[in-house]
Amino acid sequence: LILIFICREVHEKLNLTWNANNTVSYWQRRTWYFEPELSRGSLSDEITNVNVVAVTIATMADQIHVKYSDLVKKIINMFLKNTEKKLYIKKTVRELLFDGYDDGVLDLMKKLENLIKIPVQDRFGWFYPRNTSDTYDGLVNIHTGVDDLTELGMMGAWNYMNQTPYYTGNCGKVQGSAGDLYPPAIASEDAFSIYATDICSGINVKSTNSESMVHDLSGTLFVADKSVFDNGTQCPDSSCYCPNNICSQPSGIRDLSPCKHGAPAYLSFPHFYQGDPSYSNAVRGLSPNKSQHEFSIVLEKNTGIPLQVNARLQINILLRKIKDLDITDGLTHLVMPALWFHQHTIIPEDMANELRPLTAIPTFAFTVAVSLFVFGVLGLLTGLLCVKKGYLGNGLQETQEPPLLDDTRAEPNSQPQASP
């Protein structure tokens, strides 16, 4: 049985600050409202999911490199055995998504927060405490386009950074669209990037050069292809998402651990669509396909306004055997899907009706320009004709003065005279 949980997502921009450098800064509150009539399942349903807290602690323990690291691992192993016991847990959907759930390991880490230098939440949930939070997304700064319309809606900074410490080179740059506003001419570009603060990085989309109609509005379809999660073999620029620019995993996933305080989280398309087949073959029940798992966006051709968005991504957890940690016994190496989500947006029909006249402006302007050009040429020809013939009184008559460009005064066989 496949459960589908649909929520209505509302974005609110707070504390807008208009800056002197033609940018605007704001906080964003995102609120999810569960839609039971559209869903297949309820928030009280129990499902089995990866024990993310235990796996994260185990992974962090394996990365401890201090004088008594073996002793520390043994203590952590004992604690995990007494508190977690299992690699998989059963929780309600409400707990896993929004409300979060208590965990003994989190209680311990909370007490050691100053020592481990990592912020620790009091509960764990995939969207906890993001729902209704005013600060979770961080402080976003975007360009207004006042000085350069091609920069409209483009990221200027995130949390006062234009280069994050999570990835090196271009992978760490805060660049691309914030996802709400786009420059009018962007639909004619070959590609652009959408920056997502959740993943501390961007998703590149490329033009398909194909038309997509949404409520009788013509748009250009952009899709995210396999280069987004390439490991550097086909797209060398993607290698900066890997530690020391060396990717040990096959193409199809992006390491999010630098962005998630060391948690072994990886990003992919749903069902590892466009990824190396080894990922989907390792998990029973996966069937990647274009129609259900592709990431795409349609932008209106003249204004750059989003007509339809299908943002589909999957969060995965790396499971592997870790020495001296019993909870990982029996594991080899598996990138396990934890959840995948589909953010679907389509322009309402009433807004499409309001937008439609605006999309005709470039065509109208082109028609006017051509008409003015034609009338201008006709006017020029008429002007030359007037010079040729001249206007006298109410009728058109021959003038006494020779017209411009007229050589009738020269004798047919006359030769130029030499100077004395």
Side-chain angles (χ1 to χ4, degrees), residues 345-365:
T345 303
I346 186 169
I347 186 171
E349 193 164 2
D350 58 337
M351 291 183 64
N353 293 334
E354 295 177 2
L355 176 61
R356 198 169 291 111
L358 295 178
T359 64
I361 289 178
T363 304
F364 175 75

Side-chain angles (χ1 to χ4, degrees), residues 291-344:
S291 63
Q292 293 182 323
H293 304 139
E294 185 177 61
F295 186 113
S296 66
I297 179 172
V298 178
L299 299 182
E300 200 282 319
K301 290 186 174 181
N302 298 312
T303 63
I305 293 175
L307 301 180
Q308 183 169 279
V309 179
N310 286 296
R312 301 177 173 108
L313 293 169
Q314 178 172 289
I315 303 297
N316 312 280
I317 301 297
L318 175 61
L319 304 178
R320 61 186 177 88
K321 168 63 180 173
I322 299 176
K323 183 182 177 182
D324 297 329
L325 293 176
D326 296 345
I327 197 172
T328 64
D329 284 350
L331 293 178
T332 52
H333 188 284
L334 175 67
V335 180
M336 183 69 181
L339 81 161
W340 73 273
F341 55 88
H342 175 194
Q343 287 183 306
H344 174 69

Side-chain angles (χ1 to χ4, degrees), residues 64 73 88 113 153 161 218-219 229 233 256 275 282 286 305 313 320 333 338 342 364 378 383-384 409 420:
I64 294 176
K73 287 179 69 173
Y88 297 93
E113 190 170 14
M161 299 181 294
S218 176
F229 299 127
T233 54
L256 293 184
L286 298 187
I305 293 175
L313 293 169
R320 61 186 177 88
H333 188 284
H342 175 194
F364 175 75
L378 291 176
L384 291 176
R409 290 193 297 176

Side-chain angles (χ1 to χ4, degrees), residues 205-231:
V205 293
K206 297 180 180 180
S207 173
T208 62
N209 295 315
S210 61
E211 183 182 50
S212 184
M213 299 299 296
V214 180
H215 295 319
D216 294 327
L217 290 172
S218 176
T220 301
L221 175 64
F222 290 81
V223 301
D225 64 13
K226 62 175 61 179
S227 65
V228 172
F229 299 127
D230 185 77
N231 65 357

Side-chain angles (χ1 to χ4, degrees), residues 51-59 61 73-87 103-106 108-109 322 324-328:
N51 190 338
V52 178
V53 175
V55 174
T56 299
I57 296 300
T59 302
K73 287 179 69 173
K74 289 180 179 180
I75 294 174
I76 292 176
N77 181 55
M78 185 180 302
F79 189 80
L80 287 175
K81 288 175 65 175
N82 292 332
T83 58
E84 301 298 331
K85 299 181 181 179
K86 295 182 180 180
L87 198 60
D103 191 283
V105 175
L106 289 178
L108 175 63
M109 291 183 64
I322 299 176
D324 297 329
L325 293 176
D326 296 345
I327 197 172
T328 64

